[in-house]
Structures are given as structure tokens and as C-alpha cells.
Amino acid sequence: MSVPSVPIPKNLDPESQEEDYVHNVYNEIASHFSQTRYKPWPIVEKFLNDREDYSIGLDVGCGNGKYLGVNKKLFIVGTDRSSGLIECANEISGGCYNLGVADGLSLPHQEGRFDFAISIAVVHHFATAERRVQAISHILSKIRSGGEVLIYCWALEQEKSRRGYKEGDEQDILIPWVLAKKSPKKIKERKGKNDVADPEVKAKQEESHSDTEKDETIFRFYHLYKKGELSEDAVRTGVCTIVKEGYEKDNWWVIVQKN
């Protein structure tokens, strides 16, 4: 059974859609989202470990920075549009990562400077096909000739997962994220010595917390890529060739080499 989704408002231009349903959302859920992102995916890990020692790389949409320390012999600059996620990455690394806040269509780096790049679960957040191709092209502009880029995007073909998306479903959708709030019980327990003894006052406090601390559902925009579409978008940039492609964990991935 597919994860419930909602229609995308038709009155939003692509930039506003991304602002409302991507940028603002990730800033709001940054801390909660970061707690769910800690284990590197095998193919991303292998890609990073296969790089030449002391190569210089770029992680576009680095989130909480979980890939920046995979290979200690690489120098990787991580950027993300969400300042909240960059704060999480700074906290996790103790300020040791090379980080910056930057939009994926306006990276501040010198062109042709990096040996490689990764962009994991990012490109699918751009609202139109043209902007997704532009995002891939922009990453490639920062890579030297012969350098490689690994890109991951959510797949439409997720029949075997809990999400259940499949061929024939809508590809442009808003997917819910449930932002868990603190329960009245936990709030009461945390008060300790400051807890109120009067049962009626306690009941009113708990009722108040249950009204204000309900879980919140927030929606993120995704374009679900169908088989072959991600490679097609990469080829449409006109500046790369496909090295390898595949499917992992409900995602399509592709490794491209800049011409």
C-alpha cells in the first residue's frame, strides 16, 4: 500500500514550490531528520573508498554530513540548502567538517576544481525536469574532466517497500514526514521535583500539553524517478557519459564521468 500523499498546489511556481515543500521543511525537521540518518549506504561508501587518496570532493546536499568522514584520506566539502542540517553536521563533527550553506543550483565553488562529487537523495527535490537536469549539469561544472559523480534519487518502483509506489503512480508528489512531539507523560516525568502535586492541576497541565504537543505531519516534494530516467537526465546535460547505474534501497543511482 502506497504512503499517503497530497496533491501539489497548482498555483506555485517551481522556486516557490521548492521553498515551501523542501527548504522550509528541512529546516523545520532538521534535528529529527538527522537522527534517522547515520548509516552510510553501501554503494556510496564503496564509491568514496574507491577514490584516489587525497582527492578533493564535493557532497551536494550533504545533510548531517554522514558521508564526509567515510574515507579519511579524502578532502570533501559538504554543502546543503538547509542551515538546520548544516548545524547538525557541525554538531556531529565537532566543527571538523568543511561545510557551507548553498543552493544546489548556485554552488559557490570554482569550476573544474573537484575530482569527484556525490549528491545523495537531493536532485529529486527539484520541481521540474529542466531544473533537475540543470542541477546535475551544475554539479558537473564543478568537476574536472575525467572526474566522476555519483547521484541517488528516489525510485518510482518501490513495490516491495512499505511505501509501495509502483509504475503508473504519480511521479511528482508530496510525501508526509511525521514530526514527533514530546508526549505529556515524558513532559511530566522530566519535571521531577518541580512537578505539581495537585491532581486537578496535573490533569489540566497534561490536557494542555496534549493539545499543544501533538505530532505534526509536514509534506516534502519528491519527483519519483522511473527506470532509466535518471541516466537520461544525466545524458541530457551533454557533458558526461554513464559509467555505471543501478537500483538500491528504493533508489535509482548513477555514476557519470565528465567528458
Side-chain angles (χ1 to χ4, degrees):
M1 183 177 181
S2 297
V3 175
S5 57
V6 299
I8 300 170
K10 298 183 181 299
N11 60 336
L12 291 178
D13 58 77
E15 291 86 352
S16 297
Q17 181 174 308
E18 292 163 14
E19 185 71 19
D20 290 349
Y21 293 102
V22 182
H23 307 323
N24 291 342
V25 171
Y26 276 103
N27 272 336
E28 186 170 355
I29 70 173
S31 179
H32 188 206
F33 180 83
S34 177
Q35 294 170 21
T36 70
R37 300 299 188 271
Y38 52 88
K39 186 177 180 180
W41 290 348
I43 289 175
V44 184
E45 188 173 28
K46 183 180 185 305
F47 177 85
L48 292 172
N49 285 326
D50 285 347
R51 300 307 97 191
E52 292 186 10
D53 289 354
Y54 314 114
S55 295
I56 301 173
L58 185 60
D59 185 347
V60 180
C62 67
N64 68 356
K66 74 174 183 178
Y67 291 112
L68 299 181
V70 167
N71 185 339
K72 305 297 184 183
K73 293 185 178 180
L74 302 177
F75 181 91
I76 305 179
V77 177
T79 62
D80 202 285
R81 179 62 173 75
S82 168
S83 58
L85 285 173
I86 291 296
E87 288 176 8
C88 291
N90 265 319
E91 291 175 4
I92 291 170
S93 70
C96 293
Y97 291 158
N98 305 284
L99 300 165
V101 177
D103 189 280
L105 293 179
S106 186
L107 299 171
H109 314 298
Q110 179 183 355
E111 294 194 357
R113 182 67 182 87
F114 295 87
D115 298 309
F116 68 91
I118 61 174
S119 185
I120 312 302
V122 175
V123 171
H124 55 214
H125 286 311
F126 288 98
T128 66
E130 290 72 25
R131 289 172 69 80
R132 292 189 287 274
V133 172
Q134 184 183 352
I136 298 172
S137 180
H138 191 55
I139 295 171
L140 284 163
S141 73
K142 307 302 178 181
I143 308 303
R144 63 170 174 80
S145 297
E148 293 184 343
V149 178
L150 169 62
I151 300 170
Y152 262 71
C153 290
W154 270 28
L156 176 64
E157 298 85 352
Q158 298 189 32
E159 294 95 327
K160 295 181 181 180
S161 78
R162 60 179 175 79
R163 302 187 188 98
Y165 299 120
K166 61 187 182 303
E167 185 177 356
D169 287 347
E170 289 290 333
Q171 289 182 257
D172 294 328
I173 58 176
L174 297 179
I175 295 177
W177 177 277
V178 179
L179 187 59
K181 301 295 185 178
K182 299 166 186 173
S183 69
K185 181 179 179 182
K186 291 181 179 179
I187 293 171
K188 184 180 70 173
E189 289 174 348
R190 206 171 52 247
K191 288 177 183 176
K193 293 181 180 179
N194 294 324
D195 198 359
V196 178
D198 189 324
E200 291 186 8
V201 176
K202 282 186 179 181
K204 288 181 180 179
Q205 286 180 339
E206 291 180 6
E207 182 180 356
S208 174
H209 287 308
S210 66
D211 289 340
T212 59
E213 299 291 339
K214 291 180 181 178
D215 291 351
E216 181 181 2
T217 300
I218 307 170
F219 291 89
R220 299 174 293 165
F221 170 79
Y222 280 79
H223 173 78
L224 302 180
Y225 270 86
K226 61 185 178 182
K227 184 177 181 179
E229 186 181 4
L230 180 56
S231 295
E232 291 172 2
D233 278 359
V235 170
R236 284 178 61 190
T237 67
V239 297
C240 70
T241 54
I242 306 299
V243 174
K244 199 172 182 180
E245 59 185 309
Y247 181 94
E248 184 197 33
K249 296 183 183 297
D250 301 327
N251 290 265
W252 291 110
W253 59 268
V254 63
I255 298 174
V256 300
Q257 184 177 59
K258 186 173 179 179
N259 297 334

